[in-house]
Amino acid sequence: MWAAFRALFAAILADRAAALLLFASPLLYAGFYPSAYTGEVVVQAPVVVVDLDRTGASRGLITRAAAVQQAQLVGSLASVAEAEAWLAEDRAVAALIIPAGFGADIARGGAGTVLLTGNGAHLLRASTALSGIGVALGQSGREAARDQTRALGLPAPPALALVPRPLFNTREGYGAAVFPGVAFVIVHQSLLLGIALLAGTARERLGAPLRLVPAQLAGIALAAVCIGLLGVGWFAGMVFWLQDYPRAAAPFADVLAGALLFVVATVAASLALASFFRTRERPLQLGLAVSLPLFFLSGLSWPAEATPAPLVALARLFPTTPGLELMIGLNQMGGRLKDYAPAAWNLLLLAALFGAVALSGLTRNPPARAAVQD
């Protein structure tokens, strides 16, 4: 068993492609994949102001707009035409225009009107900046309504403030929502392709199907589980921390148990699949074909409730679906292992099923001496 454990690591180090898949790919993905989302939250988008009213009400509105995180007032202009020129020249992504009479309308008990305009060439930045200014407008409107109510001598209604606090994805960013799930898919695919690649290579060299004794298969499986746990620990313990993604929400013991279930099921599936490959190219071809469907079937980017029932049932046959449900629920959402008991049982059943297939496919006959050495 321990000889097979050591032999797997030796085979990986002797095979550049396998070493790249199992050891280098998690490092590479951790570097360049999250980098696309480092600026995922828009802050300090340049905005210009055209104040044609020049009253206390308009100045108060500008002060509140300058305080929002999403916008940065970069200029106070004299005309609407000047603001349009700034937008056309990409010197600003949005403009706040306060017409003459804004303060007088509010003082008479009416509704003040302002104009918000954005540059469509910078849709995300402009819409985010305008939504932030909209919050400032809402605050000004509520204060004006209370002042008007007091002036009329009517009892002021209680002031209610909505304070939204996003759960789990506290920055409300795309990377923090997607990459934690993608990271576990990377661990799954690395193990699946790396082990199958090594098996295909060994079969090419032998010119015959692989034949192992159960102890050898157990040693190989144990070595692969260790590699998988290292991958999970790398992403959950280091990369999520470096990128400030939600992490370690559940107790460590629950996260470790969930990671072990996920990795064991993945290794069992990898060994079962490895028993069918005759060449080293087939695993890579299969990986390119199934990686994206597995991610979408996992329910992370497309909800299971909106997925046809046959596809939902099919997805449960792959470790990624219950594995991502369990790992995201424990690591990002703070659930306990008992809260995700169906996913845990799903992984256990898949580990048993794929383990039986691997045992049957790789240990049917006593191994020849050359096969044992390879």
Side-chain angles (χ1 to χ4, degrees), residues 202 205-206 209-212 216 366-374:
R205 291 176 178 176
L206 290 173
L210 294 176
R211 291 295 177 259
L212 306 171
Q216 289 175 315
R369 181 175 180 79
V372 174
Q373 291 176 348
D374 284 334

Side-chain angles (χ1 to χ4, degrees), residues 48-337:
V48 294
V49 175
V50 179
D51 186 4
L52 302 176
D53 187 54
R54 297 190 180 280
T55 62
S58 65
R59 287 192 293 271
L61 175 58
I62 293 172
T63 300
R64 291 186 180 88
V68 301
Q69 182 184 17
Q70 296 92 332
Q72 179 183 14
L73 301 186
V74 294
S76 180
L77 309 179
S79 67
V80 175
E82 200 174 348
E84 291 176 349
W86 276 59
L87 294 178
E89 296 169 2
D90 285 339
R91 298 167 67 185
V93 299
L96 168 62
I97 301 170
I98 307 174
F102 172 77
D105 290 339
I106 293 178
R108 286 193 299 266
T113 302
V114 299
L115 175 63
L116 298 176
T117 182
N119 189 339
H122 304 281
L123 184 59
L124 177 60
R125 298 177 69 197
S127 61
T128 304
L130 292 178
S131 66
I133 296 175
V135 173
L137 289 174
Q139 294 173 347
S140 297
R142 285 191 293 271
E143 291 186 6
R146 286 198 295 269
D147 293 340
Q148 292 169 358
T149 301
R150 293 191 186 98
L152 294 173
L154 300 177
L160 298 178
L162 176 63
V163 182
R165 296 188 181 277
L167 298 176
F168 316 131
N169 183 4
T170 54
R171 294 194 301 172
E172 298 182 280
Y174 186 77
V178 173
F179 182 73
V182 172
F184 299 122
V185 173
I186 292 170
V187 173
H188 174 272
Q189 293 297 90
S190 299
L191 281 173
L192 194 73
L193 299 180
I195 293 174
L197 180 71
L198 289 172
T201 302
R203 190 167 184 174
E204 282 184 351
R205 291 176 178 176
L206 290 173
L210 294 176
R211 291 295 177 259
L212 306 171
V213 297
Q216 289 175 315
L217 185 60
I220 293 172
L222 180 60
V225 167
C226 291
I227 295 172
L229 289 177
L230 284 175
V232 172
W234 163 247
F235 283 110
M238 179 59 69
V239 179
F240 294 170
W241 172 73
L242 287 174
Q243 299 296 332
D244 196 25
Y245 292 154
R247 64 194 182 280
F252 176 75
D254 285 19
V255 176
L256 181 60
L260 187 61
L261 287 171
F262 171 57
V263 171
V264 167
T266 297
V267 169
S270 303
L271 291 172
L273 198 62
S275 64
F276 295 100
F277 288 116
R278 297 183 179 181
T279 61
R280 64 186 275 117
E281 292 82 10
R282 290 290 182 266
L284 301 178
Q285 295 169 346
L286 179 65
L288 292 175
V290 304
S291 296
L292 195 58
L294 284 179
F295 178 72
F296 283 109
L297 286 174
S298 67
L300 183 64
S301 61
W302 187 262
E305 292 78 9
T307 305
L311 287 180
V312 174
L314 177 65
R316 290 289 166 182
L317 297 177
F318 301 99
T320 47
T321 301
L324 265 65
E325 179 184 344
L326 183 61
M327 293 305 298
I328 296 298
L330 295 175
N331 199 53
Q332 270 69 43
M333 302 176 68
R336 300 297 299 269
L337 192 60

